[in-house]
Amino acid sequence: MSIFLQILFTILTLGSLYALVTVGFTLIYSVTKVLHVAQGVVTLLGAYLFAALVNRLVPAVAAGAFAIAACAAVGWLMNAGIFERLRRRGRASAVGALIASVALLVMGTNLLLLLFGPATLALEGFARVPRWRISGAIVNAVDLETVAVSNTCLLKDGNG
């Protein structure tokens, strides 16, 4: 029973993360009409920046604000530098924009790999996250917050 519950909690958490990613794809596509697969690179950049700053003892709120601002700037630069230029030149077909987005995904992934390396970054300051044992399965506060934030975003979307 404990293995089943642990798998269930993990599926709930990962499903919530995937739901947030889907909301991001939907939001970007509804506004720009571009399937922007490189949004994952922007999100990964924010995660790496946040982890790097927190591990250098920058307060989490300041690190989060900086990471969000940096991601917004990178997203704006991607749109202005690539997708807006394609639109102005009349080459913003769905396939052309998707190819540009895949190119940004590949380049961004490799750039992040060069900057931050292949090792997993740990948040040293968050090592003592509260955990609870429920019928042999372990649930932590971050997983519960992830599910709560995801469901809140989905319900406020108006479709949930």
Side-chain angles (χ1 to χ4, degrees):
M1 182 66 165
S2 64
I3 292 174
F4 174 75
L5 278 177
Q6 190 66 58
I7 291 171
L8 183 66
F9 290 147
T10 302
I11 289 171
L12 240 127
T13 303
L14 289 176
S16 296
L17 287 172
Y18 288 136
L20 284 174
V21 170
T22 304
V23 168
F25 279 127
T26 305
L27 178 66
I28 292 171
Y29 184 78
S30 67
V31 172
T32 65
K33 301 298 182 226
V34 171
L35 182 58
H36 189 28
V37 295
Q39 77 156 343
V41 169
V42 178
T43 304
L44 186 59
L45 171 67
Y48 273 128
L49 285 174
F50 179 78
L53 290 170
V54 166
N55 287 342
R56 285 176 178 75
L57 302 178
V58 173
V61 172
F66 179 79
I68 289 170
C71 288
V74 168
W76 181 84
L77 286 171
M78 283 180 169
N79 185 55
I82 305 293
F83 300 114
E84 281 300 320
R85 287 183 182 197
L86 287 173
R87 281 186 202 98
R88 270 187 265 133
R89 293 182 180 170
R91 298 182 182 159
S93 70
V95 174
L98 181 61
I99 290 171
S101 184
V102 169
L104 286 169
L105 173 68
V106 171
M107 289 187 301
T109 302
N110 286 300
L111 182 62
L112 289 175
L113 187 61
L114 283 172
L115 291 173
F116 293 100
T120 303
L121 289 180
L123 288 170
E124 296 155 9
F126 289 81
R128 294 183 223 357
V129 173
R131 297 171 189 230
W132 301 276
R133 185 174 292 275
I134 302 172
S135 296
I138 297 173
V139 182
N140 66 41
V142 174
D143 292 344
L144 293 176
E145 290 167 1
T146 300
V147 172
V149 166
S150 174
N151 286 321
T152 301
C153 289
L154 292 174
L155 291 175
K156 289 193 184 254
D157 180 35
N159 297 324

